[in-house]
């Protein structure tokens, strides 16, 4: 047992020594480049992002080609759009949108409404509308804190694919499992990002900053539990004069992230279209989408 313990300690010391050596090499390279303080800070940010977002074997490739071009445009743009729509209904519409839903927001052309399912854009545009200030602040904080580093690493096309897959999965799941309820918020997309990142950390947490791998899992689980609790409260304990809102999007978005999102985020240095796991996840996702479309046309109680 003592020999095994000594071997484990030696392995840990070797890993720590290797990480320190890599950091020293990075700093030496920055000094040789003569880039000044800003490039040095930029490289430090990229090094931190790589440790939080990538397993050890992929960090070198990321750091070699790390840059902010293009910048994380998708997450920032979608966040600004959601904030703009919220401010519009909170300030320029006569309602209590600062607190919860009201008649004005329920008549919005963006909200998912069971009575207007033929307006197909609502299955996506519902993500722009939120049920109160606490709802939008929670979603914006989660998607900015997690989405910007993910987009720095994986770029906007892949992050956008995962995000929108969660949004669509959320509305379709709500139309099946909670067919008579309204749906608002970007939680489907946010949970897709969290689901993909969660699976990546779960599989590689010993490499993604070993000391904090478990801590990050616990933080993600805590955020999910708190947000799901708030969603369940809005669904089942809303005042009699209020309008219950579906929470199925949270669950469906998470599953979309743990399938498509994990595949996308684990293929950082690989050709995504050549990975059979990606096509399996896409095929399963499309099968669920076709079933949801069939259900809404022929079987939905909302008909």
């Amino acid at each position: 047992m003592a020999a095994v313990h000594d071997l484990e300690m030696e392995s840990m010391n070797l890993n720590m020594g290797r990480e320190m050596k890599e950091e020293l090499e990075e700093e030496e390279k920055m000094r040789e480049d003569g880039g000044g303080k800003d490039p040095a800070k930029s490289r430090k940010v990229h090094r931190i992002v790589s440790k939080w977002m990538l397993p050890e074997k992929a960090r070198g490739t990321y750091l070699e080609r790390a840059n902010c071009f293009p910048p994380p445009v998708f997450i920032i743009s979608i966040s600004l759009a959601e904030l703009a729509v919220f401010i519009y209904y909170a300030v320029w519409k006569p309602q209590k949108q600062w607190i919860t839903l009201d008649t004005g927001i329920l008549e919005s052309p963006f909200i998912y409404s069971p009575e207007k399912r033929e307006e197909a854009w609502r299955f996506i545009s519902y993500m722009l509308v939120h049920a109160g200030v606490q709802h939008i602040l929670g979603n914006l904080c989660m998607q900015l804190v997690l989405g910007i580093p993910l987009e720095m690493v994986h770029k906007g096309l892949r992050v956008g694919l995962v995000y929108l897959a969660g949004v669509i999965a959320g509305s379709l799941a709500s139309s099946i499992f909670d067919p008579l309820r309204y749906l608002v918020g970007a939680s489907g997309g946010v949970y897709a990002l969290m689901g993909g990142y969660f699976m990546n950390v779960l599989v590689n947490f010993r490499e993604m900053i070993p000391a904090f791998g478990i801590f990050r899992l616990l933080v993600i689980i805590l955020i999910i539990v708190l947000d799901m609790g708030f969603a369940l409260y809005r669904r089942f304990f809303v005042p009699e004069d209020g309008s219950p809102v579906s929470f199925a999007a949270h669950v469906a978005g998470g599953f979309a992230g743990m399938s498509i999102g994990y595949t996308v985020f684990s293929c950082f240095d690989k050709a995504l279209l050549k990975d059979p796991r990606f096509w399996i996840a896409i095929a399963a996702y499309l099968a669920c989408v076709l079933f949801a479309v069939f259900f809404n046309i022929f079987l939905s109680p909302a008909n």
Side-chain angles (χ1 to χ4, degrees), residues 56-291:
E56 185 178 357
K57 58 186 177 182
R59 291 175 198 158
T61 304
Y62 169 72
L63 291 173
E64 287 177 2
R65 63 191 191 193
N67 58 71
C68 291
F69 298 98
V73 174
F74 175 79
I75 286 295
I76 293 175
S77 299
I78 207 72
S79 299
L80 289 175
E82 292 164 5
L83 182 61
V85 170
F86 176 81
I87 291 174
Y88 171 76
Y89 282 106
V91 176
W92 284 283
K93 287 287 184 178
Q95 59 177 308
K96 299 176 181 178
Q97 177 61 6
W98 290 111
I99 303 173
T100 185
L101 293 175
D102 205 347
T103 55
I105 205 73
L106 295 176
E107 296 171 358
S108 169
F110 299 124
I111 190 174
Y112 170 79
S113 173
E115 295 85 11
K116 298 179 180 179
R117 287 172 295 118
E118 68 279 0
E119 297 175 354
W121 70 83
R122 292 176 180 266
F123 284 87
I124 297 178
S125 63
Y126 79 93
M127 69 179 181
L128 299 173
V129 185
H130 286 80
V133 67
Q134 74 282 0
H135 189 201
I136 189 170
L137 285 180
N139 279 343
L140 287 181
C141 288
M142 285 191 287
Q143 72 186 28
L144 287 172
V145 169
L146 182 59
I148 288 179
L150 282 173
E151 194 168 347
M152 288 175 63
V153 173
H154 301 285
K155 302 306 180 184
L157 185 61
R158 292 190 176 192
V159 172
L161 170 65
V162 175
Y163 189 91
L164 292 177
V167 169
I168 296 172
S171 56
L172 291 175
S174 179
S175 69
I176 294 174
F177 298 105
D178 214 355
L180 303 180
R181 301 301 180 188
Y182 295 95
L183 181 63
V184 295
S187 296
V190 173
Y191 271 67
L193 298 181
M194 294 177 66
Y197 180 68
F198 176 84
M199 287 297 294
N200 205 15
V201 174
L202 187 64
V203 173
N204 302 293
F205 76 90
R206 290 184 180 274
E207 300 176 10
M208 297 169 73
I209 310 182
F212 297 103
I214 296 177
F215 172 74
R216 280 183 293 169
L217 286 179
L218 295 176
V219 169
I220 293 172
I221 292 171
L222 177 63
I223 293 173
I224 292 173
V225 169
L226 292 176
D227 191 60
M228 279 297 296
F230 181 63
L232 291 170
Y233 171 79
R234 289 201 315 270
R235 172 61 180 85
F236 294 106
F237 300 98
V238 69
E240 294 182 0
D241 57 346
S243 298
V245 179
S246 176
F247 67 94
H250 298 69
V251 179
F255 278 113
M258 286 188 286
S259 54
I260 294 178
Y262 168 67
T263 305
V264 170
F265 295 153
S266 64
C267 289
F268 164 72
D269 54 352
K270 302 176 184 176
L272 182 62
L273 299 181
K274 295 182 180 179
D275 191 328
R277 298 176 304 165
F278 175 71
W279 293 110
I280 293 172
I282 289 293
Y285 182 85
L286 291 178
C288 293
V289 168
L290 289 175
F291 172 77

Side-chain angles (χ1 to χ4, degrees), residues 23-36 40:
E23 290 183 3
L24 290 173
E25 289 177 353
E26 286 291 331
E27 291 177 1
E28 182 66 26
K29 185 177 180 181
M30 287 186 291
R31 283 196 295 267
E32 290 176 358
D33 292 341

Side-chain angles (χ1 to χ4, degrees), residues 40-60:
K41 290 180 180 179
S42 176
R43 296 290 296 182
K44 184 175 182 180
V45 169
H46 285 301
R47 189 165 62 246
I48 293 172
V49 168
S50 71
K51 288 183 177 181
W52 281 86
M53 295 293 149
L54 292 170
E56 185 178 357
K57 58 186 177 182
R59 291 175 198 158

